Amino acid sequence: MTDRPSWAPQGIDLTVPSVSRVYDYFLGGSHNFEVDREAARVALKAFPGIPKIGQANRAAMRRAVRFAVDRGIGQFLDIGSGIPTFGNVHEVAQAAAPGARVVYVDNDPVAVAHSKAVLADNPDATIAAADLRDPLSILEHPETRRMLDFDRPIALMLVAVVHFLSDDDRPAEIIATLRDALAPGSIMVITHATLGGPTPEGQRAAQKVYQRTATPLLMRTKDELEPFFAGFEIVEPGIVPLAYWRPDAPLTEDDETAALHGLAAVGLKA
Amino acid sequence: MTGRPAAAQDQGEPAPEHDEEHNLRRFATIWGRAIYSVTATSMTRVEFEAHLVPQARVLRETLRARPFDPRPAVAVGAALVDAHCTDPEALPSILGVIDAYLVLYCPPPADVPADEARIRCSRLQHAVAVGFSQALRERTLSEQESISRAALGAQAEAERALADSEAKLRAVFEGAAVGIGIADMDGNVLEINDAAARMFGGEAHIRRRNVSDWVHPENEPAIRGLNGELVRGERDGYHVEKAYPRADGTVLWANLQVSLLRDTEGRPQYQLALLEDITERRGLLQRLRHQATHDALTGLPNRALFFERLDQALDPDGPTSRIGLCYLDLDGFKTVNDSLGHAVGDRLLVAVAERLRACLTSDDQLVARIGGDEFVALYTDPPGQEAVTDLATRILDALAAPIALDDRDLRVHGSIGIVYGPAGSRGAADVLRSADITMYRAKEHGGNRYEVADPDSDARAITRHGLTNRLPEALERGEFFVEYQPLIGLEDGAVLGAEALVRWGHPVHGVLGPDQFIPLAESTGQIVPLGRWVLEQAARQAREWQLDHPGGSCAPRVNVNLSPIQLHHRDLVAEIAGVLEETGLPPGALCLEVTESALIGADEDALKPLRRIADLGVAIALDDFGTGYSNLSSLRWLPVSVLKLDRAFTRGMRRHPADPVDLKIVEGIVSLAHSLDLTVTVEGVETRTQAEHLRALGCDHGQGWYYARPGPPEHLHHLSLADAG
Ligand SMILES: C[S@@+](CC[C@H](N)C(=O)[O-])C[C@H]1O[C@@H](n2cnc3c(N)ncnc32)[C@H](O)[C@@H]1O
């Protein structure tokens, strides 16, 4: 056969910026290549506040993990986990509850390879290469099956990833499929980019940057996020700007700006 | 700045250590506040400040150490990078706080002069900056390395997965038993596997050729149309039987499945062909069909093929408008057979067949052997009656010269009955009967001549023959009787049962076999009472055998023939049930034989009575199997439990070595039958060789002269008793 068959795994194109590596750059990491930094710089120029949003997002994620641990949840399914840098779900969770089990999922092969290296010595955390758009492939992944007990509550983490699903991907159905696999008492964490604040122009420009990646970014409003929580009871304080979700310190001015561009919410499955 | 911080002085006489600690924390708080906003840490402010306290402590101790050595402050710079102060812009803030507040909150011992303290603080900042830069550089490098490693690893992984999946596909492709070929949309062959190369008789014959290069006259033009639709993307595949020229010039028959492969955008990209070599199977089927439709002895078309052609010709909707038919019976053949033996008789028939074949002058003439010494020539759309009588004359002339066999000159003559007339109004049996009667007329006129049928003489002949009219009377007068021919288990030679064969003890013509009166009985409907009578006789007889064999299981069973006419008689099922009831014969001891031709094409309604009979527990045998050309797969849903293989199949086994094609065909049929849970009975077993072959091939039961001829019921009794003893 002269051509590669279309069903073979895709090769890796390092000439295209990757969401996970651009995000790493925003977080001050160096797990990135020049294409990624270039894309990131373009975004930053249009919208310098991005790193703060990233930080606020990570902070909200961390608070959500603690919230889960406080509820006695010791299992985490983190989809769209990205390149592990610091303050990752397993670090936060295992610090608060030793032995907590974490399955990371990402569809970026480089992020997956990196996670594998980072997690090599951690018996309670693992990474599965899978795509959120095929939720069954995540639920049935051998790593998921090996690590998680679906008869007991799980924290499903969809942190800064749902905005990479277009409406054509039918995100609500994807989430419903995941939800149906969860035991009562499970929670779902979603953080999501939203259009807001004083610089929507810049935000649009940043959104454009993502069009160049394999995964365009789609802002959604609070009302658009609500249906994703069908079958969950949204816990206090509801769907709110990142920094307002159960803050653990008084808010500063920085928090205020960052907070406007991301939403966070946690749902509890009855 | 000089003096102590006011906060430190406000504490009314606190313990000095407490004081110290408090100031240290103050310093850390100010420091944290300045740096937090430029870090990427996910710690909270409070956590971050707490995290800075140990670092502040290091700075304080270093500032105070004697002798002064700034190096421990290098680690502080590194620790800040560890806490994710990775933005180079954080450094001025980090150093600014040390510069402004360290000496103030954590003053060195009093004996260190202020200038010296300033210098120390500068050197400390310097060390922190070095530590920060080094750590940042290392961190950057190590992260770059780890991400590159990950990228390479991922790439290698992806390539390996690709190679794996390609290798798997390649293995499937290469190792497949079916031929696989891939061509582009212009028909250029890009890839073929070994199996395909073998089928075509050499790789060179197909590689880099175009699909359209292989034309074969036997292919239907429609296939090209199908391929056109596929190439245009109008269909996603097609499935045909197709002939290809092989490298050596012979033909490859393939069961071909072509599908369209599209690219990710859905555009047609390749054609994928799967080929299964069915050349041999096709050949075998053709041989099977030939065997089934030709007389093994003379090679002429047989009765089945003749009737098929005659039916076609007579079909009112068919293209034929007139037919001519010459029915030839050899005068004096019986004498040859009786006096010189079968072998000579057979050779004589072969020679006659040869001469008859030579009498045909065009494709619309066909000569068939339809009985022992009966032949028939069929002429479709003859130009006129004269053409038919000419044919008859040629036949008589051909037989005029004696036939030399060994040293003997044998003379045979023929009597021919000719039917000539329009197609579409009469049935085949009717036409043949008319020819038969006319042939008798020729015989009665001395033989070696032909007569042409006309309705008047037909009628007279029938009354003269008289058989038809006498049938009901004969039944009443008890002129019929039943003979039994044993059925033998090939495995152990045990007598398993017998086939009931009806005979007519005609007061004038002597004993007549079923061939001579059953067709008449069928055409008049007399077959129904006659068939019922035979069934009663046979059932009663079988019951008697059973009573003689109290053992039970080895008691002979009885097979009774069922005519297609009976099959359509609506009381059939009730009659059979009644006979079983009256005679007390268990249904399992009865087997009804139905000819293959009666069931072929039968719809579900026609099969219903048969199913009901089978439901009673009566076995159904498919008689003369192989003379029609039933779709073998239809056996699956016929209510049949026994196949009776036509004697045509066993002829080739009389010889040693046996005809390998015959063996193969029988073997195939047996395995098919067994896979459908059918038992196989073979008719016409005449020699030990045949019997041995058939046993080896897995046939279950045999019947024929080798075991026993048909005879009175007592014969069977002796046989089975002898067998039991
Ligand atoms: C912005 S990062 C978020 C990382 C991490 N969850 C966080 O919030 O810090 C988004 C990640 O989602 C991944 N991603 C995007 N679309 C995805 C999909 N359809 N399935 C799985 N992962 C996806 C990207 O590869 C990237 O690593």
Side-chain angles (χ1 to χ4, degrees):
Chain A
M1 279 165 258
T2 48
D3 267 13
R4 288 189 160 169
S6 60
W7 58 87
Q10 298 294 313
I12 291 158
D13 186 355
L14 294 175
T15 63
V16 175
S18 118
V19 166
S20 59
R21 295 192 304 263
V22 169
Y23 183 67
D24 174 77
Y25 180 78
F26 289 149
L27 291 181
S30 302
H31 304 99
N32 39 62
F33 300 115
E34 187 49 32
V35 270
D36 308 310
R37 293 191 286 274
E38 198 184 290
R41 282 193 290 264
V42 173
L44 280 176
K45 202 158 156 219
F47 188 46
I50 299 179
K52 283 292 145 207
I53 305 174
Q55 209 176 339
N57 175 57
R58 298 286 286 182
M61 173 181 95
R62 215 168 66 114
R63 298 196 299 276
V65 170
R66 293 224 174 114
F67 173 82
V69 170
D70 288 346
R71 294 192 61 89
I73 295 177
Q75 311 187 87
F76 295 81
L77 177 57
D78 182 6
I79 304 177
S81 48
I83 292 172
T85 43
F86 49 84
N88 298 300
V89 170
H90 75 281
E91 290 163 2
V92 180
Q94 288 171 356
R101 311 190 125 219
V102 180
V103 173
Y104 289 115
V105 176
D106 209 289
N107 69 347
D108 176 343
V110 178
V112 170
H114 191 266
S115 306
K116 252 184 209 156
V118 169
L119 301 175
D121 296 329
N122 195 321
D124 293 322
T126 185
I127 171 91
D131 198 297
L132 177 54
R133 283 166 293 198
D134 182 4
L136 286 180
S137 76
I138 294 175
L139 296 172
E140 283 159 13
H141 197 286
E143 288 301 289
T144 314
R145 291 277 139 205
R146 180 172 73 84
M147 196 64 90
L148 302 181
D149 174 2
F150 279 86
D151 293 332
R152 292 177 37 234
I154 289 176
L156 169 62
M157 314 287 295
L158 297 170
V159 180
V161 66
V162 179
H163 45 234
F164 295 114
L165 297 178
S166 75
D167 291 339
D168 285 346
D169 291 332
R170 302 178 174 274
E173 284 172 28
I174 291 172
I175 289 171
T177 303
L178 294 169
R179 176 200 64 210
D180 290 346
L182 299 177
S186 295
I187 66 165
M188 174 173 73
V189 180
I190 292 183
T191 71
H192 199 291
T194 194
L195 204 57
T199 50
E201 287 316 310
Q203 257 182 306
R204 281 213 187 82
Q207 187 168 344
K208 264 202 196 126
V209 169
Y210 282 93
Q211 318 280 269
R212 279 186 57 214
T213 68
T215 33
L217 181 122
L218 191 76
M219 313 273 186
R220 288 191 176 87
T221 64
K222 178 173 181 283
D223 287 349
E224 286 169 329
L225 291 191
E226 218 165 86
F228 298 163
F229 287 90
F232 291 94
E233 183 198 322
I234 301 180
V235 303
E236 283 301 317
I239 305 176
V240 294
L242 289 168
Y244 297 165
W245 196 86
R246 304 198 174 211
D248 50 12
L251 298 181
T252 67
E253 209 175 295
D254 271 352
D255 295 330
E256 300 283 344
T257 33
L260 293 174
H261 305 290
L263 293 170
V266 172
L268 174 66
K269 183 171 170 176
Chain B
M1 256 185 236
T2 54
R4 301 284 159 108
Q9 290 172 335
D10 289 345
Q11 317 276 319
E13 291 179 77
E17 310 85 64
H18 182 86
D19 212 22
E20 287 272 285
E21 194 57 24
H22 181 78
N23 285 337
L24 187 72
R25 284 184 184 279
R26 284 283 296 155
F27 174 78
T29 303
I30 297 166
W31 210 21
R33 216 173 271 156
I35 321 174
Y36 185 76
S37 63
V38 285
T39 68
T41 182
S42 57
M43 287 185 237
T44 63
R45 256 165 214 288
V46 179
E47 283 168 337
F48 186 69
E49 280 162 27
H51 185 79
L52 288 181
V53 171
Q55 305 311 322
R57 186 168 291 122
V58 171
L59 291 179
R60 186 185 67 188
E61 298 316 320
T62 312
L63 183 71
R64 291 177 178 174
R66 243 185 258 269
F68 175 71
D69 176 3
R71 273 176 297 180
V74 171
V76 173
L80 289 168
V81 172
D82 278 352
H84 311 299
C85 302
T86 50
D87 187 345
E89 281 174 28
L91 191 56
S93 314
I94 293 170
L95 300 183
V97 172
I98 297 176
D99 192 53
Y101 298 104
L102 181 65
V103 175
L104 189 62
Y105 281 98
C106 312
D111 58 341
V112 176
D115 281 0
E116 169 69 9
R118 284 240 59 80
I119 291 167
R120 285 188 181 190
C121 184
S122 295
R123 293 184 62 191
L124 274 184
Q125 287 174 52
H126 191 98
V128 168
V130 167
F132 182 88
S133 309
Q134 268 175 357
L136 188 57
R137 195 173 62 234
E138 265 158 37
R139 178 174 169 146
T140 304
L141 287 177
S142 93
E143 288 189 354
Q144 280 281 297
E145 189 193 324
S146 77
I147 194 69
S148 302
R149 213 186 272 281
L152 282 175
Q155 216 148 20
E157 171 89 12
E159 264 155 31
R160 202 182 52 236
L162 183 68
D164 274 3
S165 97
E166 266 177 5
K168 266 184 231 143
L169 279 173
R170 185 46 69 182
V172 170
F173 181 77
E174 290 301 347
V178 291
I180 307 178
I182 295 169
D184 64 18
M185 297 316 292
D186 296 327
N188 300 308
V189 177
L190 304 175
E191 282 277 346
I192 53 154
N193 70 348
D194 290 348
R198 274 196 304 275
M199 283 179 198
F200 279 84
E203 201 173 307
H205 188 59
I206 31 178
R207 226 180 254 295
R208 281 185 290 283
R209 297 266 307 261
N210 193 283
V211 172
S212 60
D213 290 350
W214 299 298
V215 284
H216 198 279
E218 291 213 47
N219 287 326
E220 294 175 28
I223 298 182
R224 231 164 228 280
L226 288 175
N227 199 255
E229 288 173 27
L230 181 99
V231 168
R232 289 193 298 277
E234 292 162 15
R235 60 163 61 234
D236 279 310
Y238 60 89
H239 190 168
V240 292
E241 279 189 9
K242 192 173 172 202
Y244 291 94
R246 289 165 45 98
D248 63 4
T250 56
V251 60
L252 163 72
W253 273 100
N255 182 359
L256 171 72
Q257 166 105 50
V258 182
S259 9
L260 188 62
L261 300 183
R262 296 175 187 270
D263 63 15
T264 39
E265 261 87 61
R267 284 176 306 235
Q269 200 177 16
Y270 299 115
Q271 325 182 35
L272 172 72
L274 301 184
L275 300 114
E276 181 196 6
D277 187 344
I278 54 165
T279 314
E280 196 180 332
R281 197 193 305 162
R282 239 183 110 94
L284 206 64
L285 276 177
Q286 270 172 356
R287 303 278 306 253
L288 181 59
R289 151 103 185 147
H290 186 87
Q291 299 253 333
T293 54
H294 288 78
D295 172 38
L297 178 64
T298 64
L300 289 180
N302 66 8
R303 193 181 176 87
L305 181 56
F306 165 72
F307 271 105
E308 182 190 326
R309 290 292 164 78
L310 183 58
D311 280 336
Q312 274 169 12
L314 293 174
D315 183 356
D317 302 324
T320 309
S321 55
R322 308 189 73 74
I323 60 136
L325 194 138
C326 303
Y327 192 121
L328 167 73
D329 185 87
L330 296 183
D331 306 328
F333 174 73
K334 205 168 149 35
T335 329
V336 172
N337 224 14
D338 289 351
S339 56
L340 302 177
H342 268 300
V344 177
D346 281 359
R347 287 167 64 199
L348 181 63
L349 288 172
V350 171
V352 167
E354 205 49 54
R355 293 190 180 183
L356 292 179
R357 223 188 307 253
C359 294
L360 305 180
T361 53
S362 59
D363 274 356
D364 43 14
Q365 300 161 18
L366 169 111
V367 64
R369 179 178 176 220
I370 59 169
D373 58 349
E374 290 161 40
F375 298 84
V376 57
L378 174 65
Y379 200 158
T380 19
D381 278 326
Q385 178 165 330
E386 215 180 83
V388 186
T389 52
D390 283 354
L391 174 59
T393 310
R394 284 203 299 281
I395 292 174
L396 293 175
D397 288 351
L399 297 178
I403 293 172
L405 281 185
D406 302 331
D407 299 331
R408 262 183 292 262
D409 273 354
L410 299 177
R411 291 191 170 274
V412 281
H413 295 305
S415 300
I416 298 180
I418 295 178
V419 174
Y420 169 77
S425 54
R426 309 170 71 181
D430 191 19
V431 169
L432 200 69
R433 188 163 53 245
S434 176
D436 184 26
I437 290 164
T438 311
M439 182 273 293
Y440 267 100
R441 198 143 48 81
K443 246 190 218 303
E444 280 173 8
H445 289 159
N448 195 15
R449 58 182 293 139
Y450 67 75
E451 292 288 333
V452 181
D454 70 87
D456 283 354
S457 48
D458 268 16
R460 261 180 282 126
I462 290 170
T463 28
R464 203 163 41 206
H465 251 333
L467 290 182
T468 319
N469 289 344
R470 272 188 46 84
L471 266 170
E473 201 188 329
L475 190 54
E476 271 166 35
R477 290 193 185 185
E479 289 177 11
F480 292 98
F481 61 97
V482 180
E483 287 195 319
Y484 297 88
Q485 182 171 36
L487 281 160
I488 307 296
L490 287 175
E491 195 53 49
D492 54 3
V495 178
L496 302 174
E499 178 176 355
L501 295 162
V502 63
R503 310 284 187 230
W504 185 354
H506 196 281
V508 181
H509 299 289
V511 174
L512 301 176
D515 287 358
Q516 286 165 284
F517 58 89
I518 292 291
L520 298 176
E522 285 180 332
S523 69
T524 57
Q526 275 299 310
I527 190 70
V528 173
L530 179 59
R532 188 192 310 137
W533 180 82
V534 174
L535 177 66
E536 277 165 8
Q537 293 297 308
R540 197 162 294 138
Q541 184 58 58
R543 179 65 183 148
E544 255 174 52
W545 284 328
Q546 292 208 319
L547 294 174
D548 289 348
H549 276 267
S553 69
C554 57
R557 296 176 323 190
V558 72
N559 283 26
V560 179
N561 287 285
L562 206 58
S563 142
I565 311 284
Q566 286 172 280
L567 213 47
H568 290 107
H569 188 67
R570 62 187 157 75
D571 293 336
L572 179 70
V573 181
E575 272 174 13
I576 288 169
V579 167
L580 290 173
E581 177 88 359
E582 260 167 45
T583 58
L585 183 68
L590 177 63
C591 173
L592 296 177
E593 298 191 4
V594 187
T595 59
E596 188 185 13
S597 51
L599 291 191
I600 299 316
D603 57 17
E604 194 44 41
D605 267 355
L607 290 176
K608 205 174 278 166
L610 218 50
R611 288 198 198 285
R612 301 253 304 280
I613 294 167
D615 290 344
L616 289 176
V618 173
I620 311 283
L622 198 53
D623 205 2
D624 300 341
F625 181 78
T627 53
Y629 14 84
S630 41
N631 184 347
L632 295 181
S633 60
S634 70
L635 290 177
R636 197 186 299 276
W637 46 265
L638 289 176
V640 165
S641 53
V642 179
L643 278 192
K644 282 192 90 175
L645 219 49
D646 192 66
R647 57 185 69 234
F649 291 104
T650 54
R651 287 216 184 96
M653 287 175 213
R654 285 197 298 218
R655 291 194 298 277
H656 215 76
D659 182 341
V661 175
D662 272 328
L663 290 180
K664 197 147 190 184
I665 290 174
V666 173
E667 189 179 16
I669 293 177
V670 168
S671 86
L672 175 78
H674 284 174
S675 73
L676 294 171
D677 266 349
L678 305 177
T679 48
V680 177
T681 304
V682 192
E683 295 180 286
V685 183
E686 293 180 7
T687 66
R688 167 188 288 273
T689 317
Q690 272 177 320
E692 273 162 10
H693 278 310
L694 294 166
R695 182 178 37 241
L697 290 172
C699 296
D700 305 290
H701 308 149
Q703 185 181 347
W705 289 5
Y706 170 64
Y707 301 110
R709 298 182 181 235
E714 303 82 61
H715 274 195
L716 187 94
H717 199 184
H718 296 318
L719 258 176
S720 63
L721 282 184
D723 174 65

